[in-house]
Amino acid sequence: MKMILLGPPGAGKGTMAARMKEELNIPHISTGDIFRAAIKNQTELGVKVKAIIDRGDLVPDDLTVALVKERLSEDDTKTGYILDGFPRTSGQADALAEFSAVDGVINFTVSEEEVVRRLSGRRLCKECGTGYHVEFIPPKKEGICDKCGGELYTRDDDQIDSIKNRLNVYADSTEPLISYYREKGLIRDIDAGQNPDDVFANFKKVIS
Ligand code: AP5
Ligand code: MG
């Protein structure tokens, strides 16, 4: 199954994609994760995008489309993939349609208030990338990853100014994609404001 996860920052796209990837055994492709890895490794791409991402603005379409096109040309995507955080503009959606046909688009809905609570409490493992939340999905030992013992950190763009900007950018550039895909009959809506197990149960129901 080839699917796109749509939804505002903090809707739980990454959390749900990580669980669904195990369930379906297909790759989870997050453009945000790819950019953060490039920043961490100080590659040419990472240097180019760091300031944009820290502010919560969008990386230009040409850069983003090129990297997704390359990733989707790899063999492990032939039977399916979970695209998380791409497309995010109508230009990206049009470009994707030229090189891959998706089976469905999952639209995660959640209130702005909940987004702010989730993002300000998010913690990630420096080593394996596993995501936690100080209140909702806490690690067993504060500041330490349950899976690998790595140190947990807060994303630079999870500061309040950047969260607000990301919400505005989402409303301006990404939300219009909901009607774009609805008109094609591809959208399935999921209430992402519930607890993670309930959201995942609905997600499984919808894709089956
Ligand atoms: P990206 O990494 O995609 O960030 P985002 O869309 O802002 O989404 P988030 O990762 O913040 O949220 P999420 O929905 O994955 O939620 P999560 O599961 O982590 O993009 C980062 C930046 O990269 C962009 O701002 C942009 O600059 C650039 N970029 C990326 N893609 C791009 C593109 N296509 N074009 C241009 N630029 C691009 O959950 C959030 C928190 O909530 C966690 O703590 C989690 O534990 C918790 N949580 C999850 N689910 C629940 C639940 N059900 N109940 C309670 N807590 C929950
Ligand atoms: Mg994410």
Side-chain angles (χ1 to χ4, degrees):
M1 178 171 295
K2 299 180 174 176
M3 68 176 115
I4 293 169
L5 306 191
L6 263 187
K13 303 181 296 295
T15 305
M16 291 303 139
R19 289 178 69 166
M20 193 50 83
K21 167 196 163 155
E22 301 297 325
E23 189 83 14
L24 299 180
N25 203 18
I26 53 175
H28 165 202
I29 301 167
S30 156
T31 39
D33 287 350
I34 295 171
F35 290 136
R36 280 184 292 280
I39 293 171
K40 187 177 167 196
N41 296 325
Q42 297 181 329
T43 65
E44 199 182 319
L45 173 69
V47 171
K48 249 187 222 165
V49 303
K50 183 174 181 350
I52 301 173
I53 290 187
D54 285 353
R55 285 198 300 275
D57 287 335
L58 292 181
V59 173
D61 280 357
D62 55 344
L63 271 180
T64 312
V65 167
L67 83 84
V68 173
K69 190 172 180 186
E70 197 187 318
R71 181 63 186 88
L72 293 189
S73 72
E74 288 175 31
D75 280 349
D76 65 338
T77 65
K78 293 283 179 281
T79 55
Y81 53 72
I82 305 170
L83 272 182
D84 158 15
F86 181 93
R88 253 174 153 96
T89 64
S90 55
Q92 292 179 13
D94 289 340
L96 175 65
E98 307 257 306
F99 57 81
S100 193
V102 297
D103 301 307
V105 179
I106 311 296
N107 177 38
F108 289 103
T109 59
V110 66
S111 70
E112 283 203 13
E113 194 190 0
E114 179 69 10
V115 164
V116 173
R117 278 170 62 196
R118 287 187 185 178
L119 295 185
S120 46
R122 171 165 54 192
R123 301 292 180 268
L124 295 158
C125 176
K126 268 190 182 161
E127 304 304 325
C128 72
T130 297
Y132 297 89
H133 187 281
V134 289
E135 194 185 335
F136 307 125
I137 310 174
K140 291 192 182 87
K141 198 167 162 207
E142 198 186 321
I144 304 290
C145 178
D146 294 349
K147 286 196 183 155
C148 75
E151 190 189 332
L152 303 187
Y153 75 101
T154 304
R155 269 169 50 174
D156 286 338
D157 61 348
D158 281 343
Q159 304 301 324
I160 192 67
D161 288 348
S162 181
I163 294 174
K164 285 187 177 153
N165 188 38
R166 282 156 67 204
L167 281 166
N168 289 334
V169 168
Y170 172 77
D172 291 344
S173 304
T174 310
E175 214 169 18
L177 296 185
I178 300 172
S179 8
Y180 171 96
Y181 284 117
R182 207 179 292 286
E183 279 163 21
K184 296 182 188 301
L186 288 171
I187 286 271
R188 297 291 177 273
D189 299 295
I190 290 187
D191 173 6
Q194 303 163 296
N195 72 64
D197 288 341
D198 288 347
V199 177
F200 189 62
N202 279 336
F203 188 9
K204 279 204 291 192
K205 211 186 286 169
V206 158
I207 65 157
S208 69

